[in-house]
């Protein structure tokens, strides 16, 4: 059975981009593959965080993932920092990665902005991400579009490690959905929808109330020519609405454009579709939030399961790279 792994940062509330680009596909993947999903709290430390808030957001993100359809009885859901093998493997991979390839990462360039005070963790972030993936021998990594470059780097590191030290890692592939892989901000449709957006009006949260979703979509930025066509370059706002509608109902954004003659009806259809898509997630979240302790136990069990896989991969990598582990190496030579 194929292995799948993906992760999400607990840096804010789950938004529509996370849901359409990644999380809803994870809910499907869990039934078709041996699936691992982690809340990557260590990645969140690359920019300043208030400790109490990080802890609370980690638990909330896990709860939101369960509400969005991840079933801890079917997939392995865990918090990254509860499996210390992630940072251990990350160090080995840092000693395989080069400064030049990390400097080329667009996320680093965007976030660090050449500042001397940017954290070293921001620079090595994609190496930790590679460790997340390689520890689980993942064949596929379901992600949104902007993660492609990080997955490419992960592949490069796995291939380089295997060439130098022997076949240790499975080389994974990114799977990116055809529609919904890059949901844009409703107020600034040339920027992707993001947890760190300037304007909350541009971001639809998975737990937003229906009236809030309706208001945000009604006020979404379009353009003065009232033509409806899918043309992300020249009509980013309208194309984003078509993309959101298409992803929500399982249609094609180019074909859907023919169904509308004015912005108001496109916005009304999009908001109805998003409200219906997210309604069950919100309802389930409110139910789950009454027993947050339940999620704690599920995450502990998830981390134990994840660790049993991660420890075996880390041991392979340590042995291959030449770390001193007499008990393991003696056992292997006697076998
Ligand atoms: P993160 O937390 O930013 O986002 C989680 C997932 O949501 C997708 N996504 C989007 N998809 C479509 N439109 C958008 N506007 C949008 N915004 C976010 C992301 O592509 C992602 O799939 N570095 C990763 C977390 C990570 C990870 C991993 C992912 C750490 N380790 C291992 C895969 C495998 C990140 O910051 O995702």
């Amino acid at each position: 059975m194929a292995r799948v792994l993906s992760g999400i940062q607990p840096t804010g509330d789950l938004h529509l981009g996370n849901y359409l680009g990644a999380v809803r596909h994870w809910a499907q993947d869990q039934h078709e593959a041996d699936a691992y999903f982690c809340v990557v709290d260590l990645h969140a430390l690359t920019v300043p965080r208030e400790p109490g808030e990080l802890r609370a957001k980690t638990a909330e993100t896990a709860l939101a993932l369960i509400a969005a359809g991840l079933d801890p009885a079917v997939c392995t859901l865990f918090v990254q920092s509860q499996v210390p093998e992630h940072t251990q493997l990350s160090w080995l991979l840092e000693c395989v990665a080069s400064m030049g390839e990390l400097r080329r990462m667009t996320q680093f360039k965007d976030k660090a902005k050449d500042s001397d005070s940017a954290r070293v963790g921001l620079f090595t972030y994609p190496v930790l991400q590679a460790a997340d993936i390689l520890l689980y021998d993942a064949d596929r990594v379901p992600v949104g579009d902007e993660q492609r470059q990080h997955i490419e780097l992960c592949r490069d590191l796995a291939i380089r490690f295997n060439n130098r030290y022997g076949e240790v890692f499975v080389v994974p592939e990114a799977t990116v959905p055809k529609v919904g892989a890059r949901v844009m901000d409703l107020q600034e449709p040339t920027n992707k929808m993001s947890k760190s957006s300037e304007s909350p009006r541009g971001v639809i949260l998975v737990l937003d109330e229906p009236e809030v979703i309706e208001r945000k979509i009604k006020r979404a930025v379009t353009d003065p020519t009232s033509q409806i066509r899918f043309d992300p370059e020249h009509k980013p706002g309208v194309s984003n609405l078509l993309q959101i509608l298409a992803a929500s109902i399982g249609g094609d954004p180019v074909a859907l454009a023919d169904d509308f003659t004015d912005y108001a009806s496109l916005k009304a259809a999009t908001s109805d579709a998003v409200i219906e898509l997210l309604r069950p997630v919100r309802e389930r979240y409110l139910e789950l939030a009454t027993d947050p302790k339940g999620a704690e136990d599920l995450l502990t069990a998830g981390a134990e399961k994840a660790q049993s896989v991660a420890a075996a991969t880390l041991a392979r990598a340590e042995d291959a790279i030449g770390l001193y582990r007499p008990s393991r190496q003696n056992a292997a030579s006697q076998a």
Side-chain angles (χ1 to χ4, degrees), residues 5-11 15-23 26 38 40 43 80 107 125 128-130 132-133 141-147 150-151 180-184 192-195:
L5 174 129
S6 203
I8 183 163
Q9 291 197 60
T11 45
H15 58 70
L16 186 65
N18 297 135
Y19 188 71
L20 293 179
V23 175
W26 301 353
C38 56
V40 293
H43 279 109
Q80 180 192 36
Q107 184 180 296
Y125 178 113
L128 179 60
Q129 180 163 349
D132 298 341
I133 298 166
V141 188
V143 283
D145 187 60
E146 96 291 357
Q147 292 297 316
H150 285 170
I151 312 301
R182 197 172 176 77
V183 176
M184 309 308 274
K192 76 171 177 105
M193 191 177 280
S194 141
K195 291 171 196 137

Side-chain angles (χ1 to χ4, degrees), residues 65-226:
L65 292 177
I66 299 174
L70 298 195
D71 179 351
V74 177
C75 65
T76 305
L77 176 64
F78 65 102
V79 174
Q80 180 192 36
S81 66
Q82 288 195 294
V83 182
E85 282 78 359
H86 288 243
T87 40
Q88 289 174 276
L89 181 62
S90 185
W91 176 256
L92 303 190
L93 296 174
E94 278 182 35
C95 296
V96 170
S98 73
M99 297 287 287
E101 65 193 341
L102 294 190
R103 230 183 262 124
R104 283 194 292 277
M105 294 291 115
T106 47
Q107 184 180 296
F108 172 70
K109 288 196 275 192
D110 290 350
K111 293 205 173 154
K113 298 196 170 71
D114 268 341
S115 155
D116 268 350
S117 58
R119 299 179 180 198
V120 174
L122 198 58
F123 187 61
T124 56
Y125 178 113
V127 183
L128 179 60
Q129 180 163 349
D132 298 341
I133 298 166
L134 298 180
L135 275 177
Y136 297 93
D137 291 335
D139 303 289
R140 288 203 301 114
V141 188
V143 283
D145 187 60
E146 96 291 357
Q147 292 297 316
R148 280 180 199 272
Q149 195 187 30
H150 285 170
I151 312 301
E152 260 320 298
L153 176 81
C154 171
R155 289 171 56 85
D156 290 346
L157 296 180
I159 292 169
R160 195 175 310 150
F161 191 104
N162 287 351
N163 285 342
R164 262 182 217 168
Y165 304 111
E167 290 296 311
V168 169
F169 297 125
V170 171
V171 181
E173 259 175 38
T175 42
V176 176
K178 278 204 185 76
V179 184
R182 197 172 176 77
V183 176
M184 309 308 274
D185 187 290
L186 298 176
Q187 289 300 313
E188 288 178 67
T190 49
N191 294 341
K192 76 171 177 105
M193 191 177 280
S194 141
K195 291 171 196 137
S196 53
S197 166
E198 303 271 297
S199 156
R201 288 190 305 146
V203 179
I204 294 177
L205 301 179
V206 165
L207 302 178
D208 272 345
E209 288 168 10
E211 310 78 69
V212 176
I213 298 177
E214 191 181 0
R215 201 173 332 122
K216 286 178 179 171
I217 293 184
K218 215 178 228 167
R219 295 188 185 156
V221 166
T222 50
D223 60 72
T225 70
S226 52

